[in-house]
Amino acid sequence: LRSVPDPENDTCRVPILQTFLCDRFAYNDLLHESRTYLHDDYSLDCNSDTYERACAWAYLLIALWPVGIPLLYSALLLRSRWAIRDHEPSLLSRATRFLYSEYKTQWFWWEPIEMLRKLALTGFVLLIGETHDSGRALFAMLLSLLFFACIWAIQPYKRSTDNWLSVIIQLCLTLIYMCILLLKVCQTSASACSTLGFGNDGSGIFLLFLVFTFFVLLSLVLLGALHLVRESAAATGELHLRATDSVPELSAAHGITYHLFLSHIWGTGQDQVGVIKRQLLLCLPSIRVFLDVDDLKDIGALEQYINETAVVLIFLSKGYFFSRNCLREARASASRSKLLTLVHETDPIKGGLPLSESKMECPSDLFDYVFAENREVIRWHRVIEYQLVSIKQIALHVLVACPGIIQKQLTLGVYFPSELTCSEMHLKGKHAVQLLVSANNPGAKDIAAELVAVFPWISVSTVMESCSQFSSSDDQLEVGSAFPPRGLSAAKHNLKALGDHLSKVTYLVGRSNSNGAFFLLYLNKNTYLGQDGKRLADQIALALGAGVVIFMVHENDEALGGCEFGRFFSTTPGALISAGLYSDIALAFHEQPHREISWALAGCKLGATSTVDLEWAEGDVAADPRTTARP
């Protein structure tokens, strides 16, 4: 107990400070006289001239290392403060990154304070005289209690685990030093120890603090685990790098104020870019986004704002290239060769237009820049699962422009901890899901093949047009003709066909498994056309009558026959609409990379569950009518 060790980091002990650690030995008990010798060398009398010279050297070396190094670190951080706070890395800030990278931006200077705390507990405490060794324990206890309160209040570390571990360590140190102080009291005065109720030898103190410390630590561990669980649930909206499993810290080059500039026309793009900014601020807390309604101070300085931005996002909606200010922003971006991100609004109800029309509206002097070859065009979505994919694409464009991000880390991409993925889909039952695919539904077999490639637990059976039996070897179910025999009305024929084939479809549902069967209805521009369309309608009617669930997929990729959902209200037979065919929501299948989300949502529809909670939530703008339209 001559010195106060730091159980947290005893390696920070400074041998220089042990110069002041002397041991006292009594040599005349009658006169109560004693002498002191250096603890590390008993041949050196602490009252000699040699010891005084050693102390002088010790003071000089203390100024160079235990005091000088923290002061040097403080000076380096002070010199780099603006680069650190503004996330504009300089040569000095990059060199000193090891001093502040683990701390929040506002507490970047905490490392020298932490260093002084460790030095105080492992070294400076020895400056208190050997005759006042109880004062050492008291000083260490008060210092640990002070840091316990500070770290609890300000939470200087980026990671919550670091903050909680630091709080627990400071509390443990406080309890240890309190125990040491009480033991010193018992060693000094047995009567005082007995008065405190700990007996005469202090063993009661040790037992009390052992039990008390155990329950305190247990409580803190439980509270910390609860806190981390809650924070993890709240932080699932933050974007993570797959390479590091951490939230990226955005930086900016010299002279860059904003990471992203949102260029849009107010009439048809204001709401959408507002959502983009809010989503980016949630998933990338350190990002700085320019949006006119929030940051514009002078309309005449648009070019200057562009100049101070790393990436420019053009939101393509109706009328963008007819806006004078939008053209100013686009031309300023082109003249400065700014990195460009295109986000396309396709919903005509929300101010969208086909990409081909947007290209026709683009001035010739901007076309090669805006619609450069291989330029990625990000499609904007309102359904939250698809919208997060668009946000990830935008975020990747921003991260590419950040000098502090290692570009190799971006090759693995980014992810949301709460995002829905096909790899996390698991079937509830033990058997395959039966998917009935009509041969009269153009493109349905291709969609079924997509789903089977992703989910091997899907079993596909083809529904043919003629009337025969189900063949398990061919995986075909033939459910009848659409044409009534001579002399039999269409209505009576439909009723008879339904009665004849209801047992076959019901048999198929029963033999599939406990997960049930689904009739795949693939909706594209070729659905319900010609004789195939009539036969398909008959098959849908039979499936509905047999209690088979209709699994509707709406194609949105124009290259695969995608079309507006509204067209099906005119092409679908009225009897099916009246029967409630479209009472359920059709699942939208978009082009890549959004199609992967469509697959995952399809898995959920077919009975699979995900380790991530699925919410059919919508963004701040109204739901996409193509996926929510109903008669």
Side-chain angles (χ1 to χ4, degrees):
L1 301 178
R2 292 185 179 90
S3 64
V4 184
D6 183 359
E8 174 191 0
N9 193 353
D10 195 55
T11 59
C12 287
R13 178 182 297 280
V14 182
I16 302 171
L17 296 170
Q18 293 181 4
T19 304
F20 305 98
L21 180 59
C22 295
D23 294 336
R24 184 176 298 278
F25 297 94
Y27 72 92
N28 190 333
D29 293 337
L30 294 177
L31 299 178
H32 301 288
E33 294 179 347
S34 60
R35 291 179 180 175
T36 55
Y37 296 91
L38 186 65
H39 176 77
D40 291 345
D41 184 3
Y42 283 156
S43 66
L44 182 58
D45 189 340
C46 290
N47 295 314
S48 64
D49 294 338
T50 303
Y51 178 75
E52 293 296 329
R53 288 194 298 271
C55 286
W57 279 104
Y59 285 124
L60 176 62
L61 294 176
I62 286 173
L64 292 177
W65 163 237
V67 175
I69 295 300
L71 288 178
L72 175 62
Y73 285 169
S74 299
L76 292 175
L77 290 173
L78 182 64
R79 184 70 180 270
S80 307
R81 65 188 185 280
W82 297 118
I84 297 172
R85 288 176 176 174
D86 296 338
H87 301 283
E88 298 179 358
S90 61
L91 290 176
L92 183 59
S93 67
R94 290 192 180 98
T96 57
R97 182 177 174 79
F98 69 97
L99 294 175
Y100 64 85
S101 60
E102 299 300 321
Y103 300 101
K104 296 176 182 176
T105 302
Q106 62 269 36
W107 303 107
F108 71 93
W109 44 267
W110 189 258
E111 181 62 25
I113 303 296
E114 179 67 13
M115 183 178 293
L116 287 175
R117 180 192 70 82
K118 294 177 180 179
L119 288 172
L121 292 179
T122 60
F124 293 143
V125 70
L126 299 178
L127 297 178
I128 299 176
E130 191 269 341
T131 56
H132 303 92
D133 51 0
S134 296
R136 295 176 179 176
L138 179 61
F139 169 79
M141 182 191 72
L142 294 177
L143 183 62
S144 299
L145 184 60
L146 173 64
F147 271 81
F148 167 78
C150 289
I151 295 175
W152 180 285
I154 67 176
Q155 304 281 303
Y157 295 96
K158 289 180 179 178
R159 293 191 290 265
S160 288
T161 50
D162 292 342
N163 286 312
W164 271 97
L165 286 174
S166 185
V167 166
I168 292 174
I169 288 172
Q170 298 310 315
L171 181 60
C172 290
L173 290 176
T174 301
L175 295 175
I176 290 172
Y177 295 140
M178 185 182 297
C179 182
I180 292 174
L181 183 61
L182 291 176
L183 287 174
K184 293 296 296 182
V185 171
C186 290
Q187 288 180 358
T188 303
S189 174
S191 60
C193 187
S194 178
T195 302
L196 294 174
F198 297 123
N200 296 326
D201 58 355
S203 58
I205 295 177
F206 179 78
L207 181 61
L208 173 64
F209 272 88
L210 183 64
V211 175
F212 178 72
T213 302
F214 171 78
F215 283 104
V216 168
L217 290 179
L218 180 61
S219 300
L220 280 176
V221 168
L222 293 177
L223 288 174
L226 179 62
H227 172 77
L228 291 177
V229 168
R230 289 180 176 178
E231 186 179 75
S232 176
T236 54
E238 292 187 348
L239 203 59
H240 290 63
L241 291 171
R242 291 192 183 278
T244 61
D245 286 327
S246 62
V247 179
E249 186 74 22
L250 275 67
S251 58
H254 179 69
I256 297 298
T257 303
Y258 301 99
H259 298 105
L260 184 66
F261 184 102
L262 299 176
S263 178
H264 65 286
I265 184 171
W266 281 22
T268 57
Q270 184 68 38
D271 293 340
Q272 296 92 318
V273 295
V275 174
I276 291 174
K277 179 173 181 177
R278 289 193 293 273
Q279 292 281 35
L280 288 174
L281 290 176
L282 287 174
C283 69
L284 294 173
S286 58
I287 194 172
R288 296 193 300 274
V289 181
F290 179 93
L291 181 59
D292 51 8
V293 295
D294 298 329
D295 307 288
L296 182 64
K297 297 179 181 178
D298 181 7
I299 191 65
L302 282 177
E303 289 77 8
Q304 180 62 29
Y305 291 123
I306 293 290
N307 193 49
E308 297 174 355
T309 301
V311 180
V312 175
L313 183 150
I314 291 181
F315 191 83
L316 296 173
S317 60
K318 190 177 299 182
Y320 177 85
F321 290 110
F322 297 127
S323 168
R324 185 173 61 88
N325 288 328
C326 289
L327 291 178
R328 284 177 59 193
E329 295 163 358
R331 288 191 169 100
S333 303
S335 64
R336 293 163 175 79
S337 299
K338 291 292 182 179
L339 294 177
L340 187 63
T341 299
L342 294 183
V343 180
H344 180 214
E345 174 62 81
T346 59
D347 187 353
I349 299 178
K350 301 298 181 181
L353 75 169
L355 186 61
S356 58
E357 291 187 18
S358 185
K359 290 182 177 180
M360 291 176 61
E361 294 177 356
C362 181
S364 58
D365 62 313
L366 288 173
F367 189 89
D368 290 340
Y369 170 70
V370 175
F371 297 105
E373 186 177 0
N374 298 325
R375 172 87 71 193
E376 180 184 24
V377 180
I378 301 171
R379 181 168 178 170
W380 181 243
H381 290 269
R382 288 169 176 77
V383 177
I384 190 63
E385 287 84 6
Y386 300 107
Q387 187 181 98
L388 291 180
V389 177
S390 300
I391 293 297
K392 287 199 302 182
Q393 291 178 278
I394 296 171
L396 273 174
H397 285 220
V398 175
L399 293 174
V400 167
C402 292
I405 301 293
I406 300 175
Q407 298 303 309
K408 289 184 178 179
Q409 296 178 350
L410 299 179
T411 58
L412 297 178
V414 293
Y415 71 95
F416 289 101
S418 60
E419 71 183 18
L420 188 65
T421 60
C422 296
S423 60
E424 296 178 346
M425 307 298 297
H426 305 284
L427 191 62
K428 294 179 181 178
K430 298 181 180 180
H431 306 287
V433 167
Q434 191 77 28
L435 196 61
L436 307 180
V437 179
S438 173
N440 306 118
N441 190 178
K445 288 185 178 180
D446 295 332
I447 291 297
E450 285 186 32
L451 294 174
V452 170
V454 178
F455 304 117
W457 38 262
I458 295 178
S459 175
V460 178
S461 296
T462 304
V463 180
M464 304 301 291
E465 63 177 275
S466 62
C467 180
S468 67
Q469 73 280 1
F470 170 76
S471 171
S472 59
S473 59
D474 296 334
D475 282 342
Q476 294 179 348
L477 179 66
E478 302 178 0
V479 297
S481 170
F483 304 101
R486 181 177 300 179
L488 189 63
S489 67
K492 291 182 178 180
H493 170 69
N494 288 338
L495 290 175
K496 183 177 184 301
L498 179 60
D500 290 342
H501 302 291
L502 180 59
S503 59
K504 296 180 182 179
V505 180
T506 305
Y507 166 73
L508 176 60
V509 175
R511 75 184 288 278
S512 60
N513 48 59
S514 60
N515 291 314
F518 297 84
F519 186 99
L520 173 61
L521 175 55
Y522 180 52
L523 299 170
N524 61 17
K525 65 182 182 181
N526 298 316
T527 308
Y528 299 123
L529 299 182
Q531 293 300 320
D532 283 342
K534 294 179 180 179
R535 296 187 183 102
L536 175 63
D538 286 345
Q539 293 165 357
I540 294 172
L542 289 174
L544 287 173
V548 179
V549 177
I550 306 297
F551 172 47
M552 292 184 292
V553 171
H554 173 214
E555 184 60 71
N556 279 250
D557 188 349
E558 294 182 2
L560 298 177
C563 60
E564 294 292 331
F565 191 87
R567 90 178 252 126
F568 301 114
F569 295 133
S570 59
T571 59
T572 306
L576 293 180
I577 295 178
S578 300
L581 174 62
Y582 296 132
S583 60
D584 194 12
I585 297 176
L587 180 60
F589 265 45
H590 297 282
E591 65 275 11
Q592 289 287 11
H594 299 84
R595 204 170 188 85
E596 295 183 16
I597 296 297
S598 299
W599 295 337
L601 294 176
C604 293
K605 283 266 192 176
L606 295 175
T609 56
S610 172
T611 55
V612 179
D613 291 335
L614 174 64
E615 297 182 359
W616 285 84
E618 298 174 353
D620 294 320
V621 189
D624 190 337
R626 289 167 295 185
T627 58
T628 58
R630 293 178 178 170

